[in-house]
């Protein structure tokens, strides 16, 4: 195996390559590359001064390296050149320069002679242990050096976390003030180590990293360094690199990066290896990067969670949930659920077109969402051209049935505002139906990490949905369940429409209409007539029921509540007993005749669906 590394003004990369032929090209020329049948791979270097293609690099199983020049002149460290069209075979380690890019090839060796001095630096080491590791070395760093180290750490902690400048500053610390000759920050990405920052003041001595040592750091989760030895007797050899490599942990305590630094053997640097205090400083720099990355991850997660909460909850509730996330936990709670849906919107959207439909629906749902949140409700989700909301979770809300009713009135009021604003573009005014139910449900988050879908599940939610659907059959805008109506009857005017079985709901349900907050005399009179007709029907007083319905239709022609009850009256009574019934039914052919059944609303609902 070979390690191929290049350092350009725009890029610092290192690749592990198998023996083979590799074509190296830059970004200095446009157009497609010529096809090469025997090329093992393409290597692209970010350097506009390099030709494309530039070099054919042949890595031989014997360990030799052949460099064939296809572009600009290649300069070797010895001063010799490989001119265009020439090829030269060399032994690694070797370097060459093309334009402003420096390249190198080394063999992937797992052990060096001086690796006998490799030592791990564990946390919590005793003073005695540190003294043994430093045995034979000269005195510790001067106080001025320690002050420089601390100042560098303070500056690093004040830098903008996650920026390239932050990583560059961390790497710079390995050179000044740590006094090492090379620094890199390596990150594990796409199953390989990527150089995200580097400081290479002396590239002629080397600019590659020891892959085996970096992997050792990742596997052991510890810092490793070549312990300094003053008695090291080998002659100065630039290929010798005394390395210190420290792990960088992410917010999950996984090693995702390594701070790598080295000292070269050279005539101007008489130090051999890395001093323990130097290794400690490198670890402090790596720890500072780890802490900064954890802070950034925590801030990012907090910002993401804040956005999700803002999308679902009222602004005054969001701080409570951020302080106590347990409020979003799964629980069994009493809730009031509201479903609201536009009427005939599918047909309308075909007339408006896609662009205007999205604009109109966005205007309506934005207004409706604000109304729900202004009344301390939580939007569960958006369903086509409507929404679902609920109250009393995750924060307890007093009088939540009454808040839901207030919300229903305001939803319809906002729809009137939209009708006025869009009057020139709408073929007819928009209308909506709202269903509200109160009961006990299981509440929790059924969404994902990136999309919050917090709300109730179960029978009570289904009942609210069925009530909303039933509004179009009764011709009224707001329907309540008996549980909700009983909680608000002292505050508003709910009137009972029937006792029936809704589609998908096994037990019969009492259905109530919620009149306007301040109903006019006409609405009140119509409601009173219907209530009297229903009471007479439930007592089997067919003639009295018919009289009240006749009066209701005279007052409010086309009233669908009356038409519903006329159908039930026809199904339950004999036509001979009520000759006026047939006349009212024929005069008001709003609905087909209903079928006598023990579930009158179910049959009527199905007839309307068909």
């Amino acid at each position: 195996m070979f390690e191929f590394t290049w350092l350009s003004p725009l890029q610092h990369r290192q690749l592990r390559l198998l023996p083979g032929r590799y074509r190296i090209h830059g970004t200095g020329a446009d157009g497609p590359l010529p096809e090469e049948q025997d090329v093992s791979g393409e290597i692209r270097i970010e350097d506009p001064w390099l030709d494309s293609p530039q070099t054919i690099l042949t890595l031989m199983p014997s360990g030799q390296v052949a460099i064939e020049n296809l572009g600009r002149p290649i300069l070797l460290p010895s001063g010799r050149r490989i001119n265009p069209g020439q090829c030269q075979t060399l032994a690694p380690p070797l370097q060459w320069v093309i334009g402003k890019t420096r390249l190198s090839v080394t063999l992937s060796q797992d052990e060096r002679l001086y690796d006998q001095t490799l030592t791990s630096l564990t946390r919590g080491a005793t003073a005695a242990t540190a003294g043994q590791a430093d045995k034979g070395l000269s005195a510790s760093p001067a106080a001025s050096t320690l002050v420089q180290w601390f100042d560098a750490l303070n500056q690093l902690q004040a830098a903008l976390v996650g920026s390239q400048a932050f990583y560059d500053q961390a790497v710079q610390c390995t050179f000044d003030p740590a006094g090492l000759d090379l620094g890199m920050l390596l990150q594990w990405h796409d199953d390989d180590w990527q150089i995200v920052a580097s400081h290479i003041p002396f590239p002629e001595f080397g600019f590659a990293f020891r892959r085996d040592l970096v992997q050792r750091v990742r596997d052991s989760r510890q810092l490793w360094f070549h312990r300094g030895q003053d008695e090291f007797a080998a002659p100065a050899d630039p290929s010798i690199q005394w390395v210190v490599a420290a792990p960088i942990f992410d917010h999950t305590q996984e090693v995702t990066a390594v701070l790598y630094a080295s000292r070269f053997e050279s005539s101007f640097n008489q130090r051999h290896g890395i001093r323990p205090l130097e290794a400690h400083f490198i670890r402090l720099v790596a720890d500072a990067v780890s802490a900064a990355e954890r802070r950034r991850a925590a801030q990012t997660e907090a910002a993401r969670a804040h956005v999700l909460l803002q999308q679902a909850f009222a602004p005054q509730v969001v701080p409570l949930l951020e302080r106590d996330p347990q409020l979003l936990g799964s629980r069994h709670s009493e809730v009031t659920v509201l479903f609201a849906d536009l009427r005939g919107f599918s047909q309308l959207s075909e007339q408006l077109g896609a662009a205007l439909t999205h604009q109109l629906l966005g205007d309506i749902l934005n207004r409706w969402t604000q109304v729900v949140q202004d009344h301390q409700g939580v939007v569960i989700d958006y369903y086509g051209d409507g929404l679902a909301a609920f109250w009393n979770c995750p924060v307890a809300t007093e009088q939540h049935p009454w808040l839901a009713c207030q919300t229903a009135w305001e939803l319809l009021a906002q729809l009137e505002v939209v009708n006025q604003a869009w009057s020139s573009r709408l073929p007819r005014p928009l209308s909506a139906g709202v269903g509200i139910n109160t009961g006990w449900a299981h509440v929790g988050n059924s969404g994902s990490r990136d999309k919050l879908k917090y709300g109730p599940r179960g029978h009570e939610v289904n009942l609210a949905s069925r009530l909303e659907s039933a509004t179009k059959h009764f011709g009224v805008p707001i329907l309540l369940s008996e549980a909700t109506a009983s909680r608000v009857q002292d505050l508003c005017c709910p009137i009972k429409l029937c006792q029936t079985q809704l589609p998908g709901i096994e037990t019969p349900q009492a259905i109530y209409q919620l009149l306007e907050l301040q109903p006019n005399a006409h609405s009140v009179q119509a409601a009173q007539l219907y209530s009297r007709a229903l009471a007479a029907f439930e007592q089997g007083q067919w003639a009295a029921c018919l009289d009240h319905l006749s009066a209701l239709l005279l007052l409010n022609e086309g009233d669908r509540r009356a038409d519903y009850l006329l159908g039930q009256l026809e199904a339950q009574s004999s036509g001979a007993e009520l000759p006026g019934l047939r006349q009212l039914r024929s005069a008001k052919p709003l609905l087909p005749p209903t079928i006598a059944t023990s579930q009158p609303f179910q049959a009527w609902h199905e007839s309307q669906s068909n």
Side-chain angles (χ1 to χ4, degrees):
M1 296 288 288
F2 296 82
E3 297 288 341
F4 175 61
T5 311
W6 68 89
L7 177 65
S8 74
L10 301 176
Q11 193 179 39
H12 188 184
R13 290 285 308 278
Q14 181 169 327
L15 302 177
R16 171 172 279 189
L17 302 178
L18 294 170
R21 283 169 54 86
Y22 299 88
R23 180 163 56 183
I24 302 170
H25 58 91
T27 56
D30 297 328
L33 296 174
E35 294 186 2
E36 294 280 352
Q37 298 296 331
D38 58 346
V39 170
S40 301
E42 301 279 351
I43 299 176
R44 183 176 182 271
I45 295 177
E46 294 290 341
D47 187 345
W49 292 276
L50 282 189
D51 294 329
S52 179
Q54 171 61 50
T55 304
I56 293 293
L57 184 66
T58 304
L59 306 177
M60 305 177 187
S62 63
Q64 297 290 96
V65 178
I67 302 175
E68 179 184 353
N69 190 354
L70 305 177
R72 301 187 62 181
I74 295 174
L75 180 64
L76 299 174
S78 63
R80 290 186 299 167
R81 291 175 177 268
I82 303 177
N83 293 316
Q86 294 180 341
C87 180
Q88 190 165 347
T89 300
L90 303 167
L94 63 94
Q95 283 194 31
W96 67 97
V97 177
I98 311 174
K100 297 185 178 182
T101 297
R102 188 179 290 266
L103 308 94
S104 76
V105 172
T106 59
L107 293 173
S108 297
Q109 297 176 347
D110 295 332
E111 290 291 338
R112 273 82 165 177
L113 175 63
Y114 52 92
D115 280 352
Q116 297 175 1
T117 68
L118 271 175
T119 304
S120 65
L121 188 65
T122 57
R123 299 182 183 277
T126 63
T129 304
Q132 292 175 1
D134 209 19
K135 183 179 180 180
L137 297 178
S138 56
S140 300
S144 58
T145 300
L146 293 176
V147 170
Q148 291 179 346
W149 288 2
F150 296 147
D151 286 344
L153 288 173
N154 287 332
Q155 294 174 10
L156 178 62
Q157 292 173 344
L160 181 61
V161 178
S163 66
Q164 186 61 44
F166 173 77
Y167 297 134
D168 291 340
Q169 188 169 346
V171 170
Q172 174 68 31
C173 289
T174 65
F175 177 76
D176 181 16
L180 302 178
D181 299 324
L182 170 151
M184 301 184 203
L185 198 150
L186 311 171
Q187 191 173 63
W188 184 252
H189 183 68
D190 290 339
D191 295 327
D192 197 9
W193 291 105
Q194 307 290 335
I195 303 172
V196 298
S198 61
H199 183 71
I200 315 293
F202 310 110
E204 62 273 16
F205 291 117
F207 47 91
F209 61 85
R210 289 272 302 273
R211 190 180 299 272
D212 58 311
L213 293 186
V214 173
Q215 190 60 43
R216 180 184 294 193
V217 171
R218 187 186 185 209
D219 294 339
S220 66
R221 302 168 58 85
Q222 293 181 348
L223 178 146
W224 287 85
F225 71 106
H226 287 105
R227 187 176 67 249
Q229 290 188 357
D230 285 343
E231 65 273 13
F232 189 78
D237 182 356
S239 66
I240 297 178
Q241 292 189 27
W242 307 93
V243 174
V244 54
I248 294 174
F249 301 91
D250 67 2
H251 64 286
T252 65
Q253 290 302 307
E254 292 295 323
V255 178
T256 56
V258 170
L259 183 61
Y260 182 97
S262 64
R263 173 172 286 138
F264 303 121
E265 278 292 317
S266 62
S267 58
F268 66 84
N269 188 348
Q270 299 302 317
R271 287 185 181 179
H272 303 304
I274 310 295
R275 296 171 180 268
L277 278 178
E278 292 172 333
H280 276 286
F281 176 72
I282 297 301
R283 186 175 69 181
L284 288 175
V285 175
D287 287 348
V289 176
S290 298
E293 292 293 344
R294 287 194 294 270
R295 286 198 304 273
R296 183 176 67 146
Q299 292 168 357
T300 301
E301 178 63 22
R304 184 195 65 81
H306 184 76
V307 170
L308 291 177
L309 293 175
Q310 280 186 319
Q311 292 174 352
F313 300 102
Q316 62 269 28
V317 177
V318 172
L320 299 176
L321 301 179
E322 290 177 329
R323 288 195 296 268
D324 187 7
Q326 297 300 321
L327 290 173
L328 289 174
S330 178
R331 69 175 80 175
H332 194 63
S333 174
E334 185 187 48
V335 295
T336 296
V337 184
L338 176 150
F339 276 79
D341 191 70
L342 296 172
R343 293 286 169 257
F345 193 77
S346 298
Q347 182 181 3
L348 180 63
S349 64
E350 295 179 0
Q351 298 173 334
L352 292 177
L356 283 179
T357 298
H358 281 287
Q359 184 179 349
L360 174 60
L361 191 58
D363 186 10
I364 295 171
L365 293 181
N366 281 333
R367 293 173 181 271
W368 281 7
T369 300
Q370 190 62 52
V371 169
V372 170
Q373 293 186 348
D374 288 346
H375 290 81
Q376 304 178 46
V378 177
V379 173
I380 304 171
D381 208 344
Y382 302 94
Y383 301 93
D385 48 16
L387 61 75
F390 79 111
W391 282 258
N392 205 38
C393 257
V395 178
T397 308
E398 293 184 3
Q399 294 186 318
H400 49 92
W402 175 236
L403 287 171
C405 293
Q406 292 178 305
T407 299
W409 287 320
E410 185 61 25
L411 294 180
L412 299 179
Q414 286 298 317
L415 196 58
E416 288 303 315
V417 175
V418 173
N419 280 329
Q420 295 177 10
W422 284 72
S423 59
S424 61
R425 289 174 284 185
L426 292 176
R428 55 174 175 77
L430 292 166
S431 61
V434 181
I436 303 175
N437 175 45
T438 301
W440 286 84
H442 192 81
V443 184
N445 179 25
S446 61
S448 64
R449 178 182 179 274
D450 298 318
K451 182 174 177 58
L452 185 67
K453 191 173 181 180
Y454 179 84
R457 298 291 181 270
H459 166 77
E460 306 300 337
V461 180
N462 295 334
L463 178 54
S465 176
R466 297 299 184 271
L467 289 171
E468 176 272 312
S469 180
T471 58
K472 53 190 172 185
H473 302 300
F474 283 103
V476 298
I478 307 173
L479 290 180
L480 307 179
S481 68
E482 184 174 19
T484 303
S486 64
R487 300 278 286 271
V488 299
Q489 60 184 356
D490 295 334
L491 302 171
C492 57
C493 301
I495 64 166
K496 185 177 179 180
L497 295 183
C498 65
Q499 176 85 16
T500 189
Q501 187 165 358
L502 295 169
I505 306 296
E506 294 183 0
T507 56
Q509 302 292 324
I511 298 177
Y512 290 77
Q513 177 189 356
L514 178 65
L515 297 182
E516 300 88 342
L517 178 60
Q518 295 179 338
N520 55 37
H522 184 275
S523 295
V524 172
Q525 185 178 358
Q528 290 174 343
L529 287 172
Y530 183 85
S531 295
R532 293 167 186 165
L534 179 64
F537 176 81
E538 291 177 340
Q539 295 170 9
Q541 300 174 3
W542 312 131
C545 176
L546 183 60
D547 290 342
H548 294 311
L549 290 177
S550 300
L552 174 57
L553 287 172
L554 288 174
L555 176 69
N556 196 25
E557 184 178 359
D559 193 309
R560 301 192 68 177
R561 298 171 299 181
D563 190 72
Y564 162 75
L565 198 51
L566 282 172
Q568 307 314 308
L569 188 60
E570 184 178 43
Q572 298 295 327
S573 65
S574 169
E577 297 177 8
L578 301 171
L581 174 62
R582 192 171 300 278
Q583 295 178 358
L584 285 177
R585 292 290 286 163
S586 61
K588 306 292 180 183
L590 297 177
L591 300 171
T594 55
I595 303 172
T597 174
S598 60
Q599 302 173 359
F601 181 78
Q602 176 77 25
W604 180 70
H605 175 275
E606 292 176 352
S607 68
Q608 294 307 294
S609 300
N610 296 330

